Amino acid sequence: MSQQKKIYGVMAEFEEAGELLVAAHKAREAGFTRLDAYSPLPIEGLSEAVGFESTRLPLIVLIGGIVGAIGGFALQYYIHVIEYPQNIGGRPFNSWPSFVPITFETTVLCAALAAVLGMLALNGLPSPYHPVFNAPRFKLASRHRFFLCIKARDPKFDLEETKEFLLGLEPHEVCEIED
Amino acid sequence: MVTEPLRTLLEIEPEAPIIGPGHDYASVTDKVSAIVLTNKTPKGWFVGLAIAFALVMTLMAAVGYLFITGIGIWGNQIPVAWAFDITNFVWWIGIGHAGTLISAILLLLRQKWRQSINRFAEAMTLFAVACAGIFPLIHVGRPWLAYWLFPIPNTMGVWPQFRSPLMWDVFAVSTYATVSLLFWFVGLIPDLATLRDRAKNRAAQIIYGMLAMGWRGSAVHWHRYETASLLLAGLATPLVVSVHTVVSFDFAVSIIPGWHTTIFPPYFVAGAIYSGFAMVMTLGIPVRRFYHLEDFITMRHLENMAKVLLATGLIVAYGYGMEIFSAFYTGEKFETYMVMNRLHGPYAPAYWALILCNIIIPQFLWIKRLRTNIPVLFVISLIINVGMWLERFVIIVTSLHRDFMPSSWGMFRPTQWDFATYFGTIGLFLMLFFLFIRFLPLISIFEMRQLVASENERAVRSH
């Protein structure tokens, strides 16, 4: 059992971004649901074509920003009103206008950290290993070629039939990927 | 007589290409990644790095001696407690601003031409901020206590004073450095993956592979990636404006004549963009030539940058004018004396040199023939760099050296250590830049592919 080759999916290679987009749409129309496309540049509409609806990233960034704003102001309020109150030029302890610049900076800092860390976390990066790199020509996905992968997890997946289907999309090449 | 290259330029108006002809995804990838991976490192690179490294050693010596001896090795003396240190700090921070402007604000404005210059402009931002950060740290006198600037709970029960613009500065600059680094690194991820895939050398594969974090160009990843980039651009845009605003508060919130003015925030931000674009040009023109990147950094890029210089230069000129106007408008003798002292006092040569460098000479950029002449652009960009340094010097030193009481007036004269520290940071900046162009793609490869795609689309549409 353990010696048996486990398949991650079947991958087709295309020469043009447009071909990949069409292929992804056809695969979805044919009923495949577990697929992904790989390209050397972002392609408009491709994520929708492989069935990705929308990302929660903006919400994460918003939460990061709110946490940064509250945290930044709370830090200054705590220090100047509760922990270490000092009379500076007769200003009230909670002299909030002079707390605005730092509150702004911590808002941006936390929102930016949320954007980057959130993007990486949702994408599952860093990922030291991924089966798609087993595809012999996959190195070209970061240069000039476009790939469509139908995963073995797909309920409609059948090794031979899926291969046939992908060949029908007139790709440059089709290959199996080991897990 | 109209020369041939000029005629070609005139003919390609109104929309000059932002990428040379005949490029496809593979050729842009190969050309940019080859600089890092396969091309023989040019001899000039070693020479440049050696000079920069020698300057870094000078910086080390100057800072080492400063730590042993103290601030007395500089020319700073009451009343001029801020001199080269803060001049250099403001100059470097300002230079950094162009990188963020190009990558964030021009991204939001959908200016496609930024795509081939944003990577090295962002790198420039990081290195400039690194140089800037050195100065506040070493000028505090006891730099080993610099951590007191951060709100760290301590046994003394003492906390920083957040009502002070100097604390705002700490937060603004450290946030700016962090966000610039994040923005730059996020931009690099797909290109690091390209380098990983194209490297032949095992060590390079491993190092770039680790840095690329397993990027595979998945459509879903790209979707989140683009969302993150856009949000970061949206965050970096107000941030970059806030940073130089806060830097200007260091001055404007005080009551010193010549500092206490409301025009400072916008005038400082415009000045920052002005000096930053000048530095992008100073770096971009030689890089373009030595690495044969004329197809990617085209004449249109240089011309657009020249126009930005012209526009921001005029805003800065307006700032200078308003400074003088509002000083006289107050009718207050300390303010008017400050202006007269700038124009006629002991530092008047610095003032008139800055007017020459920042206002008069850049007006040549109105002439298209000069604006498209590369040596002229290079020289003007250097002059603006000098002019912007002089501007900060004049603002800081002339305002401080004669304030209210003639009995407390004084003069600032720089020492050799002032110069050694300043030129040392230029060496640090250049060394980091040389290392960057050798080990990382100095043009964003995936964004060049996007440019190829949009140029192809445009070609299809126009046929």
Side-chain angles (χ1 to χ4, degrees):
Chain A
M1 174 77 189
S2 63
Q3 290 302 306
Q4 202 187 338
K5 199 164 76 169
K6 216 175 144 217
I7 294 292
Y8 172 80
V10 183
M11 188 178 261
E13 175 185 335
F14 298 90
E15 286 177 17
E16 292 295 333
E19 296 173 7
L20 174 63
L21 199 55
V22 171
H25 277 293
K26 281 192 179 152
R28 291 275 291 169
E29 277 160 26
F32 291 104
T33 49
R34 302 290 170 107
L35 65 159
D36 203 349
Y38 304 90
S39 59
L41 70 162
I43 298 166
E44 209 178 325
L46 187 61
S47 59
E48 288 80 0
V50 297
F52 180 72
E53 296 301 331
S54 71
T55 171
R56 282 167 298 161
L57 192 60
L59 181 66
I60 294 174
V61 175
L62 178 69
I63 293 170
I66 291 171
V67 167
I70 294 174
F73 193 87
L75 173 80
Q76 298 174 83
Y77 185 89
Y78 170 75
I79 289 176
H80 285 327
V81 179
I82 299 165
E83 171 68 20
Y84 194 56
Q86 279 185 314
N87 184 336
I88 304 290
R91 290 184 188 85
F93 292 138
N94 180 23
S95 49
W96 65 267
S98 52
F99 299 164
V100 168
I102 291 181
T103 306
F104 173 78
E105 301 299 338
T106 52
T107 306
V108 171
L109 179 65
C110 292
L113 284 170
V116 174
L117 299 179
M119 183 271 285
L120 292 177
L122 291 173
N123 281 349
L125 299 174
S127 77
Y129 173 79
H130 196 276
V132 288
F133 288 106
N134 293 334
R137 286 169 61 83
F138 192 70
K139 274 183 189 299
L140 299 179
S142 68
R143 185 166 177 253
H144 66 308
R145 289 302 169 94
F146 301 83
F147 294 83
L148 181 69
C149 176
I150 297 179
K151 296 173 191 172
R153 287 191 289 136
D154 195 294
K156 214 171 160 286
F157 186 85
D158 175 279
L159 188 56
E160 292 312 315
E161 275 176 31
T162 312
K163 248 182 170 172
E164 277 306 303
F165 170 78
L166 282 176
L167 280 170
L169 300 172
E170 297 175 1
H172 180 79
E173 202 178 277
V174 170
C175 68
E176 296 170 16
I177 307 173
E178 286 179 40
D179 201 355
Chain B
M1 200 188 93
V2 183
T3 57
E4 192 52 44
L6 183 63
R7 190 175 311 129
T8 352
L9 268 170
L10 292 172
E11 276 165 13
I12 51 179
E13 288 263 290
E15 207 169 50
I18 39 183
I19 182 166
H23 278 292
D24 55 29
Y25 299 141
S27 74
V28 292
T29 308
D30 296 351
K31 183 148 189 189
V32 180
S33 61
I35 295 172
V36 177
L37 296 173
T38 49
N39 288 1
K40 205 163 162 280
T41 310
K43 278 203 190 72
W45 184 86
F46 289 101
V47 175
L49 186 73
I51 295 169
F53 188 72
L55 286 171
V56 173
M57 291 298 106
T58 315
L59 177 69
M60 293 294 157
V63 172
Y65 185 53
L66 176 84
F67 283 4
I68 295 167
T69 318
I71 300 295
I73 66 167
W74 292 344
N76 301 27
Q77 185 59 268
I78 299 299
V80 189
W82 283 359
F84 267 37
D85 45 359
I86 302 302
T87 303
N88 297 339
F89 164 70
V90 179
W91 188 67
W92 278 122
I93 280 280
I95 285 170
H97 279 41
T100 321
L101 183 100
I102 290 171
S103 48
I105 301 182
L106 297 186
L107 182 127
L108 296 181
L109 296 175
R110 297 183 184 279
Q111 294 293 310
K112 284 213 174 91
W113 60 275
R114 82 187 171 87
Q115 287 178 322
S116 53
I117 54 172
N118 62 355
R119 170 69 46 74
F120 82 83
E122 280 173 49
M124 179 196 81
T125 295
L126 276 182
F127 306 150
V129 172
C131 291
I134 291 174
F135 286 101
L137 201 71
I138 63 175
H139 99 300
V140 293
R142 279 177 281 180
W144 50 94
L145 298 179
Y147 69 92
W148 285 9
L149 289 165
F150 292 97
I152 300 166
N154 55 67
T155 50
M156 299 174 290
V158 182
W159 292 93
Q161 180 51 257
F162 289 115
R163 295 181 188 95
S164 162
L166 301 183
M167 281 310 298
W168 306 347
D169 220 15
V170 170
F171 277 77
V173 173
S174 51
T175 299
Y176 186 49
T178 313
V179 173
S180 303
L181 181 66
L182 288 173
F183 204 5
W184 186 64
F185 181 69
V186 165
L188 269 171
I189 294 171
D191 287 358
L192 289 166
T194 298
L195 292 182
R196 168 199 67 201
D197 293 344
R198 297 192 49 72
K200 298 277 182 285
N201 167 331
R202 185 80 190 128
Q205 284 173 340
I206 291 172
I207 293 167
Y208 290 124
M210 279 162 72
L211 290 170
M213 298 190 294
W215 179 262
R216 51 188 184 272
S218 150
V220 177
H221 289 189
W222 275 124
H223 183 107
R224 294 194 188 102
Y225 181 89
E226 293 246 281
T227 309
S229 303
L230 200 60
L231 288 169
L232 278 175
L235 290 166
T237 300
L239 176 66
V240 70
V241 175
S242 86
V243 173
H244 231 61
T245 301
V246 167
V247 169
S248 81
F249 284 164
D250 289 342
F251 304 98
V253 172
S254 79
I255 55 160
I256 302 284
W259 285 7
H260 187 62
T261 151
T262 48
I263 194 141
F264 261 30
Y267 155 52
F268 265 54
V269 172
I273 293 163
Y274 189 42
S275 65
F277 265 88
M279 189 58 100
V280 172
M281 237 185 215
T282 309
L283 296 175
I285 287 173
V287 162
R288 171 184 193 265
R289 186 184 149 90
F290 290 120
Y291 288 93
H292 309 293
L293 296 170
E294 286 88 351
D295 281 357
F296 299 159
I297 305 173
T298 62
M299 190 46 91
R300 181 155 159 223
H301 291 97
L302 298 178
E303 214 190 324
N304 280 358
M305 286 195 275
K307 288 175 185 168
V308 174
L309 284 179
L310 205 48
T312 47
L314 290 174
I315 301 175
V316 169
Y318 173 79
Y320 298 157
M322 279 316 287
E323 251 184 339
I324 295 174
F325 172 79
S326 49
F328 282 105
Y329 194 67
T330 60
E332 215 229 337
K333 66 179 169 208
F334 299 115
E335 289 283 340
T336 45
Y337 179 75
M338 179 278 299
V339 168
M340 296 315 285
N341 185 42
R342 269 188 198 170
L343 305 183
H344 303 294
Y347 294 107
Y351 184 79
W352 293 110
L354 102 84
I355 297 292
L356 182 72
C357 294
N358 280 355
I359 301 186
I360 297 168
I361 292 174
Q363 302 311 318
F364 286 117
L365 296 174
W366 286 105
I367 304 162
K368 192 177 171 89
R369 201 155 54 90
L370 297 177
R371 198 165 65 221
T372 50
N373 180 324
I374 290 170
V376 170
L377 279 180
F378 185 67
V379 170
I380 290 182
S381 74
L382 282 176
I383 290 173
I384 295 171
N385 283 318
V386 173
M388 286 307 295
W389 189 89
L390 286 170
E391 179 206 293
R392 278 66 176 255
F393 178 82
V394 165
I395 289 175
I396 291 169
V397 173
T398 63
S399 304
L400 284 176
H401 92 118
R402 288 180 181 176
D403 53 4
F404 303 98
M405 293 281 286
S407 60
S408 69
W409 287 359
M411 283 295 289
F412 165 76
R413 282 177 200 85
T415 65
Q416 55 184 349
W417 297 107
D418 279 308
F419 286 108
T421 316
Y422 174 48
F423 292 119
T425 52
I426 292 180
L428 176 65
F429 177 77
L430 290 176
M431 187 181 88
L432 291 169
F433 198 78
F434 276 117
L435 292 174
F436 158 72
I437 54 179
R438 174 65 189 81
F439 294 109
L440 290 169
L442 80 143
I443 288 180
S444 173
I445 307 174
F446 87 89
E447 288 182 287
M448 292 311 288
R449 294 189 201 110
Q450 283 181 300
L451 269 187
V452 169
S454 65
E455 289 291 303
N456 287 350
E457 215 172 275
R458 205 174 71 171
V460 169
R461 251 187 288 127
S462 63
H463 280 115

